Amino acid sequence: EVQLVESGGGLVQPGGSLRLSCAASGFPFSSFWMHWVRQVPGRGLVWVSRINIDGSGTTYADSVKGRFTISRDNAKNTLYLQMNSLRAEDTAVYYCARDHYGQATLWGQGTMVTVSS
Amino acid sequence: QSALTQPASVSGSPGQSITISCTGTSSDVGAYNYVSWYQQHPGKAPKLIIYDVTNRSSGISNRFSGSKSVNTASLTISGLQAEDEADYYCSSYTGRGTVFGGGTKLTV
């Protein structure tokens, strides 16, 4: 089955760190660029970051640049999002998604990140 | 990068047709034919329905269609059904990343 499964979400204090993972299966993960997208419950989708097939190229939304790092391990079919210096406004459901020319064509179920003291 | 502009809400009766607009700029929607549409039911992950402006995703009904004119993309749903009630989002490639619309709540 073609799917993406996120994990690693949870409650973290402001200023803390968290690493999200996204396990891919059912398709050639190493052949696809990948995204992270987030959504505050009840609000809209916001693009966070994108990575190319070998991890050598990454882009970020201005709101997370310098604090978040996207990476991947093609041997493990896994995408990561390292989130540092977390703020209350980073609280959201985080989705990983498979890319097709900048479009998110396959989505995981999401993992909730709550930044609160 | 500013979000693409969508109407906050649209409504229609079963069997009718509706169109949701998605307005961007010459740097995103107007620059690339990489516009997509997503359907999201409450508590669920978004689901791709249209990609590359006009292409339906696998398994999506032909009641859903997409188009684009200059800087505005549109999603049309014909023959509205109760299960179409959901939030709809557009997105566009920007050359360095992706931008989403603010979302439109469809009430049937």
Side-chain angles (χ1 to χ4, degrees):
Chain A
E1 181 185 3
V2 175
Q3 64 176 357
L4 298 168
V5 179
E6 301 94 337
S7 61
L11 175 64
V12 61
Q13 292 189 337
S17 298
L18 208 57
R19 189 177 82 157
L20 306 182
S21 299
C22 168
S25 59
F27 66 95
F29 176 73
S30 61
S31 297
F32 288 87
W33 294 46
M34 297 292 294
H35 297 269
W36 285 101
V37 178
R38 69 185 181 183
Q39 183 177 36
V40 175
R43 305 288 296 276
L45 301 170
V46 176
W47 177 78
V48 172
S49 183
R50 183 178 180 226
I51 188 168
N52 67 357
I53 58 173
D54 64 4
S56 63
T58 58
T59 54
Y60 298 91
D62 289 343
S63 58
V64 306
K65 199 176 300 182
R67 300 187 300 122
F68 289 12
T69 302
I70 189 172
S71 63
R72 65 192 298 161
D73 185 335
N74 287 340
K76 296 182 177 179
N77 290 337
T78 302
L79 175 73
Y80 301 102
L81 186 67
Q82 177 67 43
M83 304 186 295
N84 298 331
S85 303
L86 282 161
R87 307 166 180 168
E89 54 264 36
D90 295 318
T91 294
V93 176
Y94 284 74
Y95 296 99
C96 64
R98 190 177 72 184
D99 176 87
H100 169 77
Y101 294 104
Q103 302 155 98
T105 56
L106 174 71
W107 296 67
Q109 86 289 347
T111 187
M112 182 71 203
V113 172
T114 302
V115 184
S116 175
S117 54
Chain B
Q1 180 72 52
S2 298
L4 305 177
T5 301
Q6 298 181 231
S9 63
V10 298
S11 63
S13 300
Q16 288 186 332
S17 295
I18 63 94
T19 297
I20 300 172
S21 62
C22 169
T23 301
T25 69
S26 58
S27 297
D28 39 61
V29 174
Y32 305 97
N33 286 326
Y34 299 135
V35 176
S36 51
W37 290 90
Y38 310 89
Q39 177 190 65
Q40 186 179 35
H41 286 106
K44 301 294 187 181
K47 174 184 175 182
L48 178 73
I49 51 176
I50 297 286
Y51 67 98
D52 295 351
V53 179
T54 61
N55 294 330
R56 275 187 301 277
S57 183
S58 177
I60 298 300
S61 168
N62 59 10
R63 297 186 299 105
F64 292 84
S65 62
S67 63
K68 189 184 85 166
S69 176
V70 192
N71 296 334
T72 298
S74 298
L75 172 70
T76 298
I77 309 174
S78 59
L80 275 175
Q81 299 179 0
E83 59 260 36
D84 298 333
E85 184 162 296
D87 293 326
Y88 291 84
Y89 295 90
C90 62
S91 81
S92 174
Y93 180 57
T94 69
R96 62 171 293 279
T98 297
V99 62
F100 286 92
T104 298
K105 180 175 181 58
L106 169 62
T107 301
V108 180

